[in-house]
Amino acid sequence: MIFLAHEANIWWKLGRIVFPLFCFAVACNLRRGTGVSDYVAMLLLLGVVSQPIYAKALTADDGNILFTLAVGATILTALRTRGLWLQHAVLGVGVVAVFTPWIRARSGLDFGLAGVLFPAAIYLVMDRQWSHVVWLVMLLVGLNWHQPNPMQFAPLPAALFAELAASRSCCSPWLSGIGRASCRATRSTCSIPAHLLVLIAIRELIA
């Protein structure tokens, strides 16, 4: 959005792939036994470092994606050991809130409520709890659902594009070892502050 004048062009759609991949990395890391407290602490620390850069880059007052992932990892941890019906209840209520016009489900954090629930949905589906696929799909649409004009960024095509591209990117990890992919995605997460600084510099040069 730094250069795209809030238009859903091809570059914006390419950016839709990134967040699902970060959520996939969170689910993979926690699935393979990464310590939750240390992992969340790392995300929060990076989030604090990134926040002023994020705010300047996007002129935004919400929390950056690293805070979203930290909250998502916490919710994932809380839900993964709960009963099936409680998991469905939490994800179902969340999905209803995301698509309810008078609930500001995107306020406070980048990608909002859909973003913090998405890692849990990915994890539960990876755990072969196939009944959660419906929440995974609906939350993927919710990531692109912006009130008060939900159709502003073509949420259904954007979600489909993100799902197909992210799934293709995840095929290699499943075949060759999930750990390497999650490590690469984690390193990419750590580079977010530098990435934003580069974009700010480019914007200033072409202004």
Side-chain angles (χ1 to χ4, degrees), residues 12-13 16-17 20 99 118 136-145 153-167:
W12 184 87
K13 290 178 181 177
R16 299 294 86 191
I17 305 169
F99 293 105
F118 199 69
L136 182 64
V137 172
M138 295 185 76
L139 287 169
L140 186 61
V141 176
L143 296 176
N144 301 283
W145 191 266
F153 298 117
L156 295 179
L160 180 61
F161 181 85
E163 190 276 331
L164 291 174
S167 295

Side-chain angles (χ1 to χ4, degrees), residues 55-163:
K56 180 174 177 57
L58 298 176
T59 60
D61 57 3
D62 54 350
N64 66 68
I65 188 176
L66 293 160
F67 292 124
T68 306
L69 293 174
V71 176
T74 304
I75 292 174
L76 185 166
T77 303
L79 277 183
R80 63 181 172 179
T81 58
R82 303 297 179 179
L84 181 64
W85 289 109
L86 180 58
Q87 293 170 352
H88 279 299
V90 171
L91 293 174
V93 169
V95 164
V96 170
V98 168
F99 293 105
T100 300
W102 55 85
I103 297 177
R104 298 186 62 190
R106 295 190 69 90
S107 62
L109 291 173
D110 196 12
F111 289 102
L113 183 57
V116 300
L117 292 175
F118 199 69
I122 289 180
Y123 183 98
L124 294 171
V125 172
M126 288 171 62
D127 209 31
R128 301 184 184 277
Q129 298 188 43
W130 304 119
S131 59
H132 291 297
V133 169
V134 63
W135 307 126
L136 182 64
V137 172
M138 295 185 76
L139 287 169
L140 186 61
V141 176
L143 296 176
N144 301 283
W145 191 266
H146 296 258
Q147 302 289 2
N149 180 14
M151 297 297 120
Q152 179 182 3
F153 298 117
L156 295 179
L160 180 61
F161 181 85
E163 190 276 331

